[in-house]
């Protein structure tokens, strides 16, 4: 096996950018940045030592034989003190003056995966060799917020497969089935292609009024509405799609669906490089208002960036969301949650887009009319 194109394209970006920030980047796994640059998530502990020239791996003996293709150099450890010895050798021999590591302020979670005990250890090792240990936050932000062509293609494929998975699961959504059963079917299909971007949400009836529901043993009853929020991590890119269904046609369901759909379409129509996330968020809220709904029923932001993590690095499509850049990707997910009605219910539609210069590419769209199962 050779490295996939997405990982190779990411390594190309690292090569181009790293020396602007430091001489080497130490990533202690588990960390999404490890998967981003190495191309695989391991069961065991591992370290990636990344320089402009090469990627060096420190891996456990149980995983050593499968890792040679992922690294330019592999060093194997058996015991903890082997790790310290190997790391010391790398820090002292690679002629580094500045080493980047993943610690940062609380808002920069994409660069904050380094455990405290490892931070302390790296700090003392670098001090010993007179090397400066600095936060990788600014580097990671520049590295991961703009996507490579290969990443954008992988996201497009990921969305297509997610839509196929949804259409395969839709026929089994019938009164009597439980949320957990549908979630299990989604998991089964997701693992055929990759893995879930996040735990799928399956919500029936009153549970649709919850933004982040977790599937339960609740059975679907005739008359109730359904939403499914599911994403696939495929070749290192996370999709994130939400679909809404009814078990019977009612005017209140169709009206809310149409308003949310219009809010989504209007926001996407205006999405391009240079507009702000807040601008798109306000368009969605204004559209809900025009359709006669209180925009306060839309309780979250309009969307978030997508990448190796489902909530990736980038502007929020929400209050104070800044200017959007070309080659970034986002979810667009307006919603209405009727928490004060009896019974409670809600509707959310979520699709994924790529900002491309003066336009945006829409990767998916929900049906024009509210789908009935
Ligand atoms: Mn989402």
């Amino acid at each position: 096996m050779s490295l996939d194109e997405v990982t190779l394209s990411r390594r190309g970006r690292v090569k181009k950018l790293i020396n602007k920030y430091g001489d080497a980047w130490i990533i202690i796994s588990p960390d999404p940045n490890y998967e981003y640059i190495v191309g695989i998530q391991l069961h065991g502990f591992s370290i990636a030592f990344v320089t402009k020239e090469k990627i060096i791996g420190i891996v456990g003996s149980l995983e050593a034989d499968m890792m040679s293709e992922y690294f330019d150099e592999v060093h194997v450890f058996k015991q903890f003190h082997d790790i310290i010895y190997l790391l010391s050798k790398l820090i002292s021999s690679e002629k580094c003056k500045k080493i980047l590591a993943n610690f940062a302020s609380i808002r920069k979670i994409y660069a904050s995966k380094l455990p405290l005990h490892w931070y302390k250890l790296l700090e003392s090792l670098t001090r010993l060799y007179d090397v400066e240990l600095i936060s990788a936050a600014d580097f990671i932000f520049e590295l991961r917020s703009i996507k490579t062509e290969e990443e954008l293609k992988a996201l497009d494929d990921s969305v297509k497969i997610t839509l196929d998975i949804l259409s395969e699961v839709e026929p089994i959504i019938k009164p009597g089935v439980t949320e957990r059963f549908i979630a299990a079917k989604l998991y089964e299909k997701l693992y055929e292609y990759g893995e879930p971007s996040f735990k799928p949400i399956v919500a029936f009836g009153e549970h649709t009024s919850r933004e982040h529901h977790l599937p339960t043993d609740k059975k679907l009853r005739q008359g109730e509405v359904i939403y499914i929020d599911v994403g696939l991590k495929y070749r290192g890119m996370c999709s994130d799609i939400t679909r809404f269904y009814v078990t019977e046609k009612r005017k209140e369901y169709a009206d809310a669906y149409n308003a949310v759909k219009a809010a989504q379409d209007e926001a996407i129509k205006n999405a391009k490089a240079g507009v702000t996330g807040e601008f798109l968020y306000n368009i969605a809220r204004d559209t809900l208002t025009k359709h006669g709904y209180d925009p306060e029923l839309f309780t979250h932001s309009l969307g978030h960036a997508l990448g190796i993590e489902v909530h990736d690095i980038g502007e929020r499509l929400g209050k104070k969301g800044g200017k959007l850049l070309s080659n970034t990707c986002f979810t667009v997910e307006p919603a209405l949650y009727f928490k004060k009605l009896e019974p409670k219910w809600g509707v959310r539609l979520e699709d994924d887009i790529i900002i491309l210069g003066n336009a945006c590419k829409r990767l998916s769209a929900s049906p024009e009319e509210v789908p009935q199962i």
Side-chain angles (χ1 to χ4, degrees):
M1 197 203 95
S2 57
L3 281 176
D4 67 282
E5 287 168 7
V6 172
T7 305
L8 285 172
S9 74
R10 288 169 170 168
R11 290 183 180 193
R13 266 188 83 70
V14 168
K15 257 194 182 127
K16 232 197 255 171
L17 282 177
I18 190 165
N19 287 146
K20 194 172 147 188
Y21 296 91
D23 304 307
W25 181 24
I26 293 179
I27 314 168
I28 311 276
S29 126
D31 181 332
N33 292 295
Y34 182 96
E35 194 188 349
Y36 177 92
I37 190 69
V38 177
I40 191 173
Q41 257 180 316
L42 294 177
H43 289 289
F45 177 84
S46 176
I47 297 176
F49 190 94
V50 183
T51 69
K52 189 177 161 64
E53 286 77 32
K54 54 189 172 179
I55 301 181
I56 303 163
I58 298 178
V59 300
S61 52
L62 304 183
E63 288 155 334
D65 56 351
M66 61 187 239
M67 290 312 292
S68 59
E69 60 200 290
Y70 292 94
F71 291 111
D72 300 305
E73 260 178 50
V74 182
H75 300 276
V76 182
F77 70 85
K78 283 207 173 95
Q79 302 167 54
F80 183 73
H81 70 250
D82 299 339
I83 303 174
I84 307 302
Y85 171 73
L86 290 166
L87 206 48
S88 307
K89 250 178 47 175
L90 286 175
I91 290 171
S92 59
S93 70
E94 288 295 323
K95 299 186 187 69
C96 298
K97 290 212 166 60
K98 273 186 190 173
I99 289 186
L100 303 158
N102 300 346
F103 60 92
S105 66
I106 201 158
R107 298 187 76 90
K108 297 176 179 174
I109 46 168
Y110 50 85
S112 305
K113 288 296 186 320
L114 191 68
L116 181 62
H117 55 282
W118 268 103
Y119 172 76
K120 287 185 172 167
L121 197 95
L122 287 183
E123 201 188 33
S124 53
L125 276 181
T126 47
R127 202 184 308 125
L128 192 65
Y129 295 105
D130 205 18
V131 173
E132 203 185 337
L133 185 69
I134 52 178
S135 166
D138 293 341
F139 167 59
I140 295 173
F141 188 90
E142 185 170 357
L143 181 69
R144 283 175 46 195
S145 55
I146 307 282
K147 269 63 185 182
T148 66
E149 293 301 324
E150 289 79 2
E151 286 181 297
L152 297 178
K153 173 78 178 66
L155 179 65
D156 196 358
D157 291 343
S158 180
V159 168
K160 284 195 179 99
I161 299 168
T162 310
L163 296 175
D164 286 346
I165 289 172
L166 274 164
S167 55
E168 282 181 63
V169 170
E170 279 161 15
I172 60 171
I173 311 172
K174 292 271 175 261
V177 81
T178 66
E179 290 171 344
R180 198 187 292 277
F181 183 79
I182 301 298
K185 291 293 161 194
L186 290 168
Y187 275 113
E188 185 190 323
K189 304 277 177 200
L190 290 164
Y191 279 113
E192 275 180 37
Y193 297 95
E195 58 185 273
S197 299
F198 55 91
K199 289 178 181 174
I201 303 178
V202 179
F204 297 162
E206 295 209 10
H207 292 165
T208 58
S209 70
R210 299 175 181 172
E211 297 86 340
H212 281 174
H213 177 65
L214 287 169
T216 68
D217 290 322
K218 176 182 164 48
K219 286 182 177 161
L220 180 63
R221 287 190 310 226
Q222 187 57 36
E224 287 181 332
V225 299
I226 298 130
Y227 87 75
I228 294 179
D229 187 347
V230 63
L232 170 71
K233 190 196 269 188
Y234 176 71
R235 293 169 57 214
M237 287 299 283
C238 290
S239 65
D240 189 359
I241 305 279
T242 305
R243 289 290 174 265
F244 175 83
Y245 313 89
V246 298
T247 51
E248 62 186 39
K249 288 221 156 83
R250 287 187 198 168
K251 187 173 181 303
E252 58 185 309
Y253 296 158
D255 288 348
Y257 182 91
N258 293 340
V260 172
K261 172 103 178 128
Q264 195 193 34
D265 288 347
E266 277 306 307
I268 292 177
K269 217 193 286 172
N270 287 281
K272 59 182 176 185
V275 305
T276 66
E278 182 165 33
F279 175 68
L280 299 182
Y281 168 71
N282 287 332
I283 287 177
R285 284 174 65 98
D286 291 347
T287 310
L288 293 173
T289 309
K290 270 182 209 151
H291 279 73
Y293 293 95
D294 178 359
E296 296 304 308
L297 299 174
F298 173 30
T299 47
H300 46 72
S301 69
L302 180 65
H304 51 86
L306 292 167
I308 186 119
E309 294 185 271
V310 69
H311 286 192
D312 210 63
I313 302 169
E315 293 298 338
R316 281 177 80 75
L317 309 188
K319 257 180 219 152
K320 294 186 185 152
K323 276 190 183 168
L324 306 183
L325 300 173
S326 200
N327 290 45
T328 55
C329 28
F330 296 93
T331 66
V332 182
E333 46 181 317
L336 290 168
Y337 304 102
F338 303 103
K339 292 174 192 284
K340 287 184 183 148
L341 288 184
E342 206 48 64
K344 302 170 192 168
W345 66 286
V347 45
R348 175 163 79 244
L349 295 176
E350 179 177 30
D351 287 289
D352 302 341
I353 61 166
I354 297 172
I355 304 294
L356 287 174
N358 207 25
C360 102
K361 181 176 176 185
R362 183 175 189 154
L363 304 181
S364 59
S366 35
E368 286 304 316
E369 278 178 30
V370 57
Q372 185 178 359
I373 51 110

